[in-house]
Amino acid sequence: MSLIKILEILAILVGAFSGFIEARSKRMDVVGVFTVAFITAFGGGTLRDILLDKRPLFWVTHQEYAILIFLLALVAVPAIRTLRKIISERLIVVADALGLGLFSIVGVSQALEAGMPIFIASMMGVITGIFGGVLRDIVCNEIPMVLRDGKPYAICSFGGCWMYLLMQKTGVPPDFSLWTSALAIVVARLLTWHRGVRLE
Amino acid sequence: MSLIKILEILAILVGAFSGFIEARSKRMDVVGVFTVAFITAFGGGTLRDILLDKRPLFWVTHQEYAILIFLLALVAVPAIRTLRKIISERLIVVADALGLGLFSIVGVSQALEAGMPIFIASMMGVITGIFGGVLRDIVCNEIPMVLRDGKPYAICSFGGCWMYLLMQKTGVPPDFSLWTSALAIVVARLLTWHRGVRLE
Amino acid sequence: MSLIKILEILAILVGAFSGFIEARSKRMDVVGVFTVAFITAFGGGTLRDILLDKRPLFWVTHQEYAILIFLLALVAVPAIRTLRKIISERLIVVADALGLGLFSIVGVSQALEAGMPIFIASMMGVITGIFGGVLRDIVCNEIPMVLRDGKPYAICSFGGCWMYLLMQKTGVPPDFSLWTSALAIVVARLLTWHRGVRLE
């Protein structure tokens, strides 16, 4: 299994989890929980693939991930009640930061592979990283958190994508670029969150 | 005219009607009424075709349906005022159940034809069946009803899609599979609605 | 540079500006300002291209426009505070009318070029003209203004698109058709706005 595949699977599970929590906080039923989890997990990558006109979509060739989220959704409704008492906000932020780093770098590397110009490739990375959450918030009838809370989130993704792009241009081995850029996003997100850094 | 075409036209008219009502209840003007009716009627199928990368879209090759909704929208604004006094909630639920059954089975059969794996095909059926309504509610700035009201709606669609898939695998004639699965969805929706069955 | 390209660039700048204002009025941060400006500027054209299955997207082949909006977004956040005191509602309406006319006619001409039937082509023109604003309002968690305020906006676009289609059918030179139809939309929008014309 290639490095990119491992990254993508990890990011999907984290996205689904964040969708479960948001859907339940809106008192959605099991259908809503599955739908929102699915959109959060696959929304960014699906939008990227539609914009790039890449088919089949990731979750079409790998129906096992769709089935996995389906099964998790069945468990999630009763489980979230008890889990929410155990799981702290801190854990959610960490898991989400992991997803942001992983999705973004997968997105930018796939856009580059598809021959996108460099600035567009960095945007595709950010879209892959944040649009699952944007679509989740739109379906849940909220102004997307990432667009208004003033915390560096999309910007961490953007910075990491450019780090990856520069490393690729300067001949750094792809695997090393992937992991370090994704890690940089995770660290930047967690540090700025911990310190309460805010943008205008 | 093939069976699938007949199903699709019926489902479009029902979807448009539900869009008319929702848009007027939000005090939208004639442009809003047409747009919301169009999105409700064609949204699920269009999303399915974008995900499958199938072109031209149904309503592009059959512009007569777009024109039909356009003309109906012109009539709908004054007509809905009087019609709402006559048309009961019961009638709307029945028409909507019909649309759900028809759209879902058209969706699953087209996904299967496009070579989708079986679980994804069932999801495409549900997407075709429910996403017109989901998009309608997003445009009308509501949390999609189907994701939160706890009534078996998407689940009826999901069950019917699997019934169709199993019938196809076991060699039942396609036409018979189509009609019985669509009918099963309609009956399941109406029965659970009438009895007030609720999911978690 | 062809006529259509000039039209499209002008319309993009106007769309971005309207996105800046809306995003700031929702207290979004710089990421939100860029995202909403981008969606408003490119949303209608992107949706049209996805529906037509046309790739690469305009903003992919012309990454300079994406970079331009990115740079403007950096300036916009501090600038809008002072600009809003200077810029009147009247100026915004005029700029927006310009965008509506330009986008609509670009949209209908491209749909015609892609071989769409005539009514669908007119719809693609309207979609290109108004869906940037529709998507902007959905992201900003509002019922899209264009669907409910009862002012002739989409209808001006629709009328202008048909004017263009008729001129094309009757052999009027393309450049002349383009400019006069776009101008007709701008004039119709401004006149009806000024006179307070309202639809049902």
Side-chain angles (χ1 to χ4, degrees):
Chain A
M1 195 150 59
S2 77
L3 191 63
I4 287 185
K5 283 282 161 275
I6 298 173
L7 287 172
E8 201 144 38
I9 295 162
L10 279 172
I12 284 160
L13 287 177
V14 169
F17 182 70
S18 124
F20 288 149
I21 290 169
E22 187 76 12
R24 280 311 275 179
S25 82
K26 290 284 177 178
R27 301 179 167 278
M28 287 188 182
D29 56 33
V30 65
V31 173
V33 166
F34 172 66
T35 306
V36 173
F38 194 87
I39 287 172
T40 314
F42 294 113
T46 301
L47 179 57
R48 177 202 61 219
D49 286 350
I50 289 173
L51 294 174
L52 297 179
D53 206 18
K54 191 168 161 253
R55 297 291 190 298
L57 300 169
F58 178 75
W59 48 273
V60 166
T61 36
H62 293 274
Q63 66 167 341
E64 57 272 23
Y65 304 125
I67 294 170
L68 180 64
I69 293 181
F70 178 74
L71 296 175
L72 288 175
L74 296 180
V75 184
V77 173
I80 272 177
R81 282 177 192 174
T82 45
L83 280 176
R84 204 186 286 158
K85 288 170 201 159
I86 305 167
I87 294 172
S88 62
E89 195 207 342
R90 185 178 297 267
L91 187 63
I92 294 171
V93 170
V94 171
D96 186 68
L98 224 59
L100 179 68
L102 300 170
F103 270 137
S104 301
I105 301 302
V106 169
V108 69
S109 77
Q110 294 201 348
L112 214 56
E113 221 170 88
M116 292 296 111
I118 195 161
F119 185 80
I120 302 300
S122 76
M123 276 185 59
M124 292 290 174
V126 177
I127 287 171
T128 315
I130 75 169
F131 257 78
V134 169
L135 293 173
R136 175 198 64 207
D137 291 348
I138 289 174
V139 172
C140 291
N141 204 21
E142 299 278 353
I143 296 180
M145 180 61 71
V146 59
L147 304 182
R148 64 169 174 158
D149 73 350
K151 288 174 190 154
Y153 186 83
I155 283 177
C156 297
S157 161
F158 189 69
C161 288
W162 277 99
M163 185 174 153
Y164 176 80
L165 289 166
L166 292 177
M167 286 169 101
Q168 288 300 91
K169 293 283 163 193
T170 52
V172 176
D175 271 22
F176 183 77
S177 311
L178 269 172
W179 286 114
T180 43
S181 315
L183 188 67
I185 293 173
V186 177
V187 169
R189 164 64 176 160
L190 291 180
L191 266 184
T192 53
W193 180 78
H194 185 69
R195 299 216 176 164
V197 175
R198 291 179 68 87
L199 303 165
E200 181 59 42
Chain B
M1 195 150 57
S2 78
L3 190 64
I4 287 187
K5 283 283 161 274
I6 298 172
L7 287 171
E8 201 145 39
I9 294 163
L10 279 173
I12 284 161
L13 287 177
V14 170
F17 182 70
S18 124
F20 288 149
I21 290 168
E22 186 76 11
R24 281 311 277 180
S25 81
K26 290 283 175 179
R27 302 178 166 279
M28 286 189 184
D29 56 32
V30 65
V31 173
V33 166
F34 171 66
T35 307
V36 173
F38 195 86
I39 288 172
T40 314
F42 294 113
T46 302
L47 179 56
R48 176 202 63 218
D49 286 349
I50 289 173
L51 294 175
L52 297 179
D53 206 18
K54 190 168 161 253
R55 297 290 189 298
L57 300 169
F58 177 75
W59 48 273
V60 166
T61 36
H62 293 273
Q63 66 167 342
E64 57 271 25
Y65 303 125
I67 294 170
L68 180 64
I69 293 181
F70 178 74
L71 296 175
L72 289 175
L74 296 180
V75 184
V77 172
I80 272 177
R81 282 176 193 175
T82 44
L83 279 176
R84 204 186 287 158
K85 288 170 201 158
I86 305 166
I87 294 172
S88 63
E89 197 208 341
R90 187 177 296 265
L91 186 63
I92 294 171
V93 170
V94 171
D96 186 68
L98 224 59
L100 179 69
L102 300 170
F103 270 139
S104 302
I105 300 304
V106 168
V108 68
S109 78
Q110 294 202 347
L112 213 56
E113 220 171 89
M116 292 295 110
I118 194 162
F119 185 80
I120 301 300
S122 75
M123 277 185 59
M124 292 290 173
V126 178
I127 286 172
T128 314
I130 75 169
F131 257 79
V134 168
L135 293 173
R136 175 197 65 207
D137 291 348
I138 289 175
V139 172
C140 291
N141 205 22
E142 299 278 353
I143 297 181
M145 180 60 72
V146 58
L147 304 182
R148 65 170 174 158
D149 74 349
K151 288 174 191 152
Y153 186 85
I155 283 176
C156 297
S157 161
F158 189 69
C161 289
W162 277 99
M163 185 174 152
Y164 175 81
L165 289 167
L166 292 176
M167 286 170 101
Q168 288 300 91
K169 292 284 164 194
T170 52
V172 177
D175 270 21
F176 184 77
S177 310
L178 269 171
W179 285 114
T180 44
S181 314
L183 188 67
I185 293 173
V186 177
V187 170
R189 165 65 177 159
L190 291 180
L191 265 184
T192 52
W193 180 77
H194 185 69
R195 299 215 175 163
V197 174
R198 291 181 66 89
L199 303 165
E200 180 59 42
Chain C
M1 194 151 56
S2 78
L3 191 64
I4 287 186
K5 282 283 160 275
I6 298 172
L7 287 171
E8 200 144 40
I9 294 163
L10 278 172
I12 284 161
L13 287 177
V14 169
F17 182 70
S18 124
F20 287 149
I21 290 168
E22 186 76 12
R24 281 310 277 179
S25 81
K26 289 284 177 179
R27 301 178 167 280
M28 286 189 183
D29 56 34
V30 65
V31 173
V33 166
F34 171 67
T35 306
V36 173
F38 194 87
I39 288 172
T40 314
F42 294 113
T46 302
L47 179 57
R48 177 201 63 218
D49 286 349
I50 289 173
L51 294 174
L52 298 178
D53 206 17
K54 189 166 162 257
R55 297 291 190 294
L57 300 169
F58 177 76
W59 49 272
V60 165
T61 36
H62 292 274
Q63 66 167 342
E64 57 272 23
Y65 303 125
I67 294 171
L68 180 64
I69 293 180
F70 178 74
L71 295 175
L72 289 175
L74 295 180
V75 184
V77 172
I80 272 176
R81 281 176 193 175
T82 45
L83 280 176
R84 204 185 288 158
K85 288 169 201 160
I86 305 166
I87 295 171
S88 63
E89 197 208 340
R90 186 178 296 266
L91 186 64
I92 294 172
V93 170
V94 171
D96 186 68
L98 225 58
L100 180 68
L102 300 170
F103 271 137
S104 301
I105 300 303
V106 169
V108 69
S109 77
Q110 294 201 348
L112 214 55
E113 220 170 89
M116 292 295 109
I118 195 162
F119 186 79
I120 301 299
S122 76
M123 276 185 60
M124 291 290 173
V126 178
I127 287 172
T128 314
I130 75 171
F131 257 78
V134 169
L135 293 173
R136 174 198 66 208
D137 291 348
I138 289 174
V139 171
C140 292
N141 204 21
E142 300 278 353
I143 296 181
M145 181 60 72
V146 58
L147 303 182
R148 64 167 174 160
D149 73 349
K151 289 175 189 152
Y153 186 85
I155 283 175
C156 297
S157 161
F158 189 69
C161 288
W162 277 99
M163 184 174 153
Y164 175 81
L165 289 167
L166 292 176
M167 287 171 101
Q168 288 299 94
K169 292 284 164 195
T170 52
V172 177
D175 270 22
F176 183 76
S177 311
L178 268 171
W179 286 114
T180 43
S181 315
L183 188 67
I185 293 173
V186 177
V187 169
R189 164 65 177 159
L190 290 179
L191 266 183
T192 53
W193 180 79
H194 184 70
R195 300 217 175 161
V197 174
R198 291 179 67 88
L199 304 165
E200 180 59 42

